Amino acid sequence: MDTLSGLLEGPKARGAFLLKAVYNPPWAVRIEDRAPLSVATMVHGTSWLLPDGGEPVLIGPGDVAVVRGPEPYTIADSPDTPVQVTVDPDQRCSTADGEDVTDSMALGVRTWGAEHEEAGSAVMLSGTYQAPSEIGRRLLAALPTIVVRPAAAADATLIGLLGSEISRDEPGQELVLDRLLDLLLIGVLRTWLADPGSGAPGWYRAQGDPVVGRALRLLHEDPAHGWTVEELAHKAGVSRASLARRFTELVGEPPMAYLTGWRLALAADLLREPDATVATVARRVGYGSAFALSTAFKRVRGVSPQEFRTGSAAARTARPEAAGPSRTVVLPGGTGPGPKIP
């Protein structure tokens, strides 16, 4: 498995919160759901995405925005429009004076907002991942606060399919929508990673290096192997010291530290399988015993494998150090950040 495949294999929505929202101007919605990651695209009209403490970004029809939480943000027809509705962590919606409008503004299956569309209405499709484990901490740690993929680079067919499926109520519909959301997110991530100026993580850029890239591929293809720096260096055709130095420079951490992070990321995925035991997962990712995996897992992730699998509150809350850099990336062809709010 190459580095890119390893990264993009992570997003797996499970019962994601998907919604088609219809807004008539003036409108402004404050998002305080503390979700680890959200994806939004405009079907009609435009909206301003206003991260707390960051620059506003204009999102046009067909653009796809990925927003990393858990910090709140606002979406609005204008940066100056006062907040009218706030969305809380339970996806409940309330007005500025405290009125709950979650149900009164419901328009049908996964549809919410203004009852009648007008000439200036904005229609947005959004999907929210419910837990950090659905995306993977390695990805969350690398992502900027906002990534915007312009319509010219987006997959119009996929967006159209999501638009037609989001309001349907068929058997297996939740699974269909989860996979569509994953594909939409992966499309944005691939564009972001491919852009030289996007600030993609060092461990992704390093895959193009003839030495470090070879070592990364070996680690990803067989993480359960008992790798040592000496063996990796031999297979990469360099000395141990040379590999250790070059790997750390390009990736940002030593080879064995990277391997530990990759093994634990795989373990987190495997632990969600219903029939998996900690012992079997340990063997599959290169740990000699359930105890060894549990010790490493808790040291790095702050919870035991069992707590992680059963969905305890601690395992489902992103730790502060998992957050990536606070910045906005508008990929080539986008409209770019708007003017700063006074």
Side-chain angles (χ1 to χ4, degrees):
M1 179 186 296
D2 61 59
T3 309
L4 179 59
S5 296
L7 172 70
L8 299 185
E9 189 182 41
K12 294 184 180 70
R14 288 170 174 79
F17 184 82
L18 286 108
L19 188 71
K20 174 183 176 181
V22 180
Y23 302 113
N24 290 335
W27 62 272
V29 178
R30 173 89 170 159
I31 310 298
E32 296 183 350
D33 60 5
R34 298 194 61 78
L37 200 69
S38 297
V39 181
T41 183
M42 300 303 299
V43 175
H44 183 266
T46 62
S47 69
W48 285 90
L49 181 55
L50 311 166
D52 283 14
E55 295 184 352
V57 181
L58 182 62
I59 311 298
D63 293 348
V64 181
V66 172
V67 184
R68 171 179 53 78
E71 298 303 317
Y73 59 95
T74 301
I75 51 174
D77 67 325
S78 168
D80 301 322
T81 302
V83 172
Q84 299 162 345
V85 174
T86 298
V87 181
D88 70 16
D90 294 324
Q91 298 294 344
R92 303 298 297 179
C93 306
S94 58
T95 64
D97 58 8
E99 179 187 358
D100 189 331
V101 294
T102 307
D103 297 329
S104 62
M105 295 186 67
L107 304 177
V109 178
R110 302 184 192 89
T111 306
W112 186 90
E115 187 174 357
H116 302 289
E117 292 187 35
E118 302 174 355
S121 294
V123 179
M124 173 185 286
L125 306 179
S126 63
T128 301
Y129 287 82
Q130 302 293 309
S133 58
E134 295 172 2
I135 308 103
R137 292 179 186 270
R138 183 171 290 272
L139 174 55
L140 285 176
L143 277 172
T145 308
I146 299 173
V147 180
V148 179
R149 186 188 194 192
D155 189 333
T157 302
L158 182 58
I159 294 173
L161 183 59
L162 178 62
S164 65
E165 292 284 343
I166 200 167
S167 299
R168 298 181 64 182
D169 190 15
E170 304 287 341
Q173 194 66 15
E174 184 177 279
L175 181 61
V176 170
L177 293 173
D178 281 349
R179 297 294 76 80
L180 288 175
L181 178 61
D182 289 342
L183 289 172
L184 193 60
L185 172 62
I186 288 170
V188 177
L189 297 179
R190 290 177 65 181
T191 305
W192 169 61
L193 290 166
D195 177 24
S198 68
W203 47 264
Y204 172 76
R205 298 192 304 271
Q207 69 177 344
D209 183 84
V211 173
V212 179
R214 168 65 173 162
L216 283 169
R217 285 189 290 275
L218 289 169
L219 296 178
H220 278 256
E221 288 168 1
D222 191 5
H225 181 72
W227 293 108
T228 63
V229 178
E230 288 85 354
E231 184 178 6
L232 283 173
H234 175 73
K235 290 184 177 294
V238 297
S239 69
R240 178 187 183 281
S242 178
L243 174 64
R245 181 179 62 254
R246 190 167 183 82
F247 195 104
T248 302
E249 287 175 354
L250 296 182
V251 178
E253 59 184 335
M256 294 300 99
Y258 180 88
L259 176 59
T260 296
W262 177 235
R263 283 173 169 171
L264 294 180
L266 292 175
D269 281 340
L270 293 171
L271 285 165
R272 293 196 293 267
E273 296 180 0
D275 298 329
T277 66
V278 177
T280 58
V281 170
R283 289 193 295 271
R284 291 177 65 179
V285 300
Y287 285 89
S289 66
F291 178 78
L293 173 60
S294 297
T295 300
F297 201 95
K298 188 158 189 176
R299 182 183 70 250
V300 173
R301 296 195 171 231
V303 294
S304 70
Q306 189 61 39
E307 288 172 326
F308 179 88
R309 182 167 56 184
T310 56
S312 69
R316 294 180 66 86
T317 302
R319 295 168 63 190
E321 62 266 32
S326 180
R327 60 190 177 90
T328 298
V329 173
V330 180
L331 298 170
T335 54
K340 293 185 177 180
I341 301 175

